Amino acid sequence: MAKRLLSLRFLLCLCLALVIVVAQAQLPSIAQPTATTTAPSVEVEGYPVTIDGKVIVEVRHGLGSFSAQERAEAIRRRILQVAEQDEIPLESITIKKIGDRHEVAVVQGDRPLLTVTAEDAGERLISQEAAAAELAQRIREVIGQYRQDRAPQRLLQNIVYAVLSTLLTLIVCSVIIRVSAKIFQPITRWGAQRIPTLRLQNFEIISTEAIQTWLLRALQFTRLFLLLFILYVYLTFVFNLFPWTRAFGQNFLNHFLFSLELVFTGIGNYLPNLVAIAVIITITYYILKGVRAIFYAIETDRLVIPGFYTDWAKPTYNLLLILIVAMAAVVVFPYLPGFDSPAFRGISVFLGILFSLGSTSAIANVVGGVILIYTRAFQQGDLIQIGDVQGIVIQKTLLVTRVCRPNNQVVTIPNSSLLNSNVTNLSVAIRELDRPLILQTTITLGYDVPWRDVYAAMIEAGRRTTGILADPAPFVWQTALNDFHISYQLNVYTREWPRVPWILSELHEHLQDACNEVGIEIMSPSYLALRDGNTSTMPSNYLGDDYQPPSFRVTLPK
């Protein structure tokens, strides 16, 4: 139901738009001169006397102090005065000779309407009396039609016709829209099945869906043309019903064609350059369309090129898009209007200098972005470590890279800075090598704590942590034998790289619990040089059961 209402609204809006366009057009009136050729090289302006869109006569010569335009306006005003008085009979409009001037006038009773001069009759190649009689008959017909069209009975009848034609037009258009909406899809599917596709290996250059889309667009264009034709017939019929809009109905198509003529005349001299621009744009469009289809097939693994990764497809297409459009712009510029003008050259030089001065860092970032793309340092969605910034890549552009930290702070890093930094990718081993990520954490304990107990406690903490793999199992390394303590590094495996900060936090919690449960105090010991009387820091199982701490001795200096 919503689609039907939308279609009807679209149709009504289209009707209203066309009515407004036509209403803005000017009627042929006496104020607009027409030109007729009286000689092969001489043009004389003519001012038509028009009543309800019907031209009675064209006035090309003045009379006395009246110019041709003023004379035409006076004739039209007199005829309208007679036409608006229904009590004046049409038979009272006759011709009459005027004094000794050998001129014949068309009069209504004693009221002159127009005077036929020898110049007027000469253009018609007939006598003044014959020309005046012809004009008098024409005036009677126009006045009769004028009164008939404005009769109340005729106006009421025309209103009824206009309402019925409007309803009929809406019904016909609604039926066309509803029927076409039901039959277009089956027709396009049937046509797509009959038209073969164009393939290259497993890649469809012209797919069935594309053929179906083109057929649908062709049918929709045909429907639009049919609706516009029905609208044209409707408006022409309705405008012809009423005398005030009859000129619109009679010249509806002429106004449209005249507007098109102005447009085409304006671009006529520019047509060769326009054709060249159209050819360049068309070629560029289809090249881009073909390139886009190829890279989309690579991105979706429908077209495989050895050594070309799928994540390169989109950025490579974007780079080619910029290059192809830039080359097309360079080729098109000489065909643009005003290309050789000083203003165009000045603007080009100004923009070139502005771009050169302000784009140094931007170009460096773009180059860095391109290098990062093809070195495949990271992808969008990877967990990376750059200096003291660790987070997930949420956006990767040619200028900057945006990283979201675990606290939801987004860090924007210029690509040129990334080229000079070490980027640690915590996701690439899982994604590409199918190897789990190893998380490491270190604690330091004194030499008096048995290392086997430390190993057992740390491995148990790893097993208790959520997200840690049981296979491969956690393991411990002794990374350093320091002066006062030993560094124990716990290594655990995980595949849940987005949860690395939370996994490490939970791992530290379980490390404290596991060490406390077996009596291991997590504290790095420190010693002074004075050792007399202190127990050895070696584990007790190495000292033996009979071990006694040495006594404390103080020796005075001599």
Side-chain angles (χ1 to χ4, degrees):
M1 187 64 181
K3 292 183 178 179
R4 298 173 185 174
L5 292 176
L6 183 61
S7 300
L8 290 177
R9 290 176 183 174
F10 169 77
L11 183 60
L12 291 176
C13 292
L14 186 60
C15 295
L16 181 60
L18 288 177
V19 170
I20 293 174
V21 171
V22 174
Q24 291 177 346
Q26 295 182 356
L27 283 172
S29 62
I30 59 174
Q32 297 180 352
T34 59
T36 58
T37 303
T38 58
S41 60
V42 179
E43 294 183 355
V44 180
E45 291 182 343
Y47 296 88
V49 178
T50 306
I51 305 295
D52 286 348
K54 296 180 179 179
V55 179
I56 299 176
V57 64
E58 288 187 358
V59 179
R60 297 183 178 85
H61 304 282
L63 182 62
S65 61
F66 285 90
S67 64
Q69 182 177 2
E70 295 173 343
R71 184 184 174 197
E73 292 176 354
I75 293 172
R76 182 175 182 274
R77 185 172 58 253
R78 296 166 191 164
I79 295 175
L80 283 176
Q81 291 175 354
V82 175
E84 291 173 353
Q85 300 177 15
D86 296 339
E87 65 276 5
I88 298 178
L90 298 178
E91 292 77 10
S92 62
I93 300 175
T94 57
I95 63 174
K96 180 180 179 181
K97 288 188 177 181
I98 302 176
D100 298 332
R101 292 186 297 176
H102 303 290
E103 294 178 349
V104 181
V106 178
V107 298
Q108 186 275 313
D110 295 331
R111 180 192 304 176
L113 299 180
L114 65 89
T115 301
V116 180
T117 64
E119 294 176 344
D120 297 333
E123 291 181 351
R124 295 172 176 265
L125 302 178
I126 56 177
S127 62
Q128 291 178 255
E129 290 80 2
E134 180 181 341
L135 290 176
Q137 179 62 28
R138 179 65 175 167
I139 291 173
R140 286 192 290 268
E141 294 176 356
V142 171
I143 292 177
Q145 187 66 39
Y146 182 92
R147 295 174 178 176
Q148 184 180 1
D149 290 339
R150 287 163 176 77
Q153 299 84 357
R154 184 68 174 271
L155 290 176
L156 181 60
Q157 179 183 358
N158 290 339
I159 291 173
V160 173
Y161 287 158
V163 172
L164 293 178
S165 62
T166 301
L167 294 176
L168 180 61
T169 301
L170 291 177
I171 292 173
V172 171
C173 293
S174 177
V175 170
I176 292 175
I177 293 174
R178 294 172 62 182
V179 172
S180 61
K182 294 181 179 179
I183 66 174
F184 277 5
Q185 291 294 340
I187 292 177
T188 54
R189 285 195 296 267
W190 177 83
Q193 294 174 357
R194 298 298 186 274
I195 300 176
T197 60
L198 182 60
R199 290 178 173 271
L200 177 62
Q201 297 181 4
N202 294 329
F203 168 61
E204 287 184 344
I205 300 177
I206 300 179
S207 62
T208 303
E209 292 77 9
I211 296 174
Q212 187 172 348
T213 301
W214 293 345
L215 290 176
L216 181 60
R217 295 291 181 269
L219 292 175
Q220 290 174 344
F221 178 79
T222 304
R223 179 180 62 185
L224 179 61
F225 179 79
L226 179 60
L227 292 176
L228 291 177
F229 176 75
I230 294 174
L231 182 61
Y232 163 72
V233 174
Y234 161 74
L235 292 177
T236 303
F237 174 75
V238 172
F239 285 155
N240 282 319
L241 290 177
F242 303 99
W244 304 281
T245 59
R246 184 167 295 133
F248 293 136
Q250 293 173 353
N251 299 284
F252 184 77
L253 185 60
N254 293 334
H255 286 306
F256 177 72
L257 295 178
F258 179 72
S259 301
L260 289 181
E261 182 181 359
L262 291 178
V263 174
F264 287 117
T265 301
I267 64 176
N269 296 330
Y270 193 68
L271 188 60
N273 291 346
L274 188 63
V275 171
I277 293 175
V279 170
I280 295 172
I281 292 176
T282 302
I283 294 175
T284 304
Y285 170 76
Y286 282 104
I287 289 176
L288 290 177
K289 192 173 182 179
V291 171
R292 181 181 180 183
I294 292 174
F295 281 102
Y296 179 75
I298 295 174
E299 186 177 6
T300 55
D301 290 331
R302 290 187 296 167
L303 181 63
V304 178
I305 298 178
F308 194 92
Y309 297 95
T310 56
D311 55 297
W312 287 355
K314 188 174 182 179
T316 304
Y317 168 73
N318 292 332
L319 292 175
L320 287 178
L321 173 64
I322 295 174
L323 292 176
I324 294 174
V325 172
M327 293 178 61
V330 171
V331 177
V332 165
F333 273 163
Y335 297 98
L336 294 177
F339 175 76
D340 294 331
S341 64
F344 192 92
R345 294 177 181 175
I347 293 175
S348 302
V349 172
F350 173 74
L351 292 178
I353 295 175
L354 186 64
F355 181 79
S356 299
L357 296 178
S359 62
T360 304
S361 60
I363 293 177
N365 288 327
V366 169
V367 173
V370 173
I371 294 175
L372 289 173
I373 289 172
Y374 290 99
T375 55
R376 306 183 73 242
F378 54 84
Q379 298 182 13
Q380 185 170 336
D382 285 354
L383 179 65
I384 63 174
Q385 176 83 32
I386 305 172
D388 59 346
V389 177
Q390 184 184 72
I392 296 177
V393 179
I394 59 174
Q395 188 177 18
K396 182 181 178 183
T397 65
L398 287 177
L399 294 176
V400 297
T401 298
R402 290 182 172 87
V403 179
C404 183
R405 306 178 75 173
N407 56 3
N408 289 334
Q409 293 179 351
V410 177
V411 181
T412 301
I413 305 174
N415 289 334
S416 58
S417 300
L418 293 178
L419 290 180
N420 300 321
S421 304
N422 294 327
V423 179
T424 303
N425 194 327
L426 306 180
S427 308
V428 65
I430 300 175
R431 186 184 65 249
E432 297 185 2
L433 304 179
D434 195 25
R435 296 178 182 177
L437 176 66
I438 299 178
L439 300 181
Q440 298 172 329
T441 188
T442 301
I443 62 174
T444 56
L445 299 173
Y447 286 89
D448 55 336
V449 182
W451 63 267
R452 293 180 178 82
D453 296 342
V454 176
Y455 278 30
M458 295 182 74
I459 292 175
E460 179 61 25
R463 291 173 178 171
R464 294 179 184 179
T465 305
T466 305
I468 299 301
L469 300 178
D471 185 20
F475 62 93
V476 180
W477 283 344
Q478 294 187 30
T479 57
L481 298 176
N482 305 300
D483 291 341
F484 307 128
H485 52 75
I486 302 173
S487 297
Y488 296 94
Q489 184 184 77
L490 175 61
N491 298 266
V492 293
Y493 295 87
T494 183
R495 290 185 177 274
E496 300 180 12
W497 55 264
R499 296 185 61 250
V500 165
W502 293 270
I503 293 176
L504 284 175
S505 177
E506 184 179 352
L507 180 61
H508 293 157
E509 296 171 0
H510 292 303
L511 271 174
Q512 295 182 60
D513 293 339
C515 290
N516 292 335
E517 290 172 0
V518 297
I520 298 176
E521 182 182 8
I522 304 179
M523 180 182 296
S524 299
S526 298
Y527 297 96
L528 297 175
L530 186 60
R531 290 292 304 275
D532 274 352
N534 293 336
T535 303
S536 175
T537 58
M538 293 177 58
S540 59
N541 57 332
Y542 287 100
L543 298 177
D545 297 335
D546 56 348
Y547 172 77
Q548 293 293 330
S551 61
F552 185 77
R553 293 176 296 174
V554 178
T555 303
L556 295 176
K558 295 180 180 180

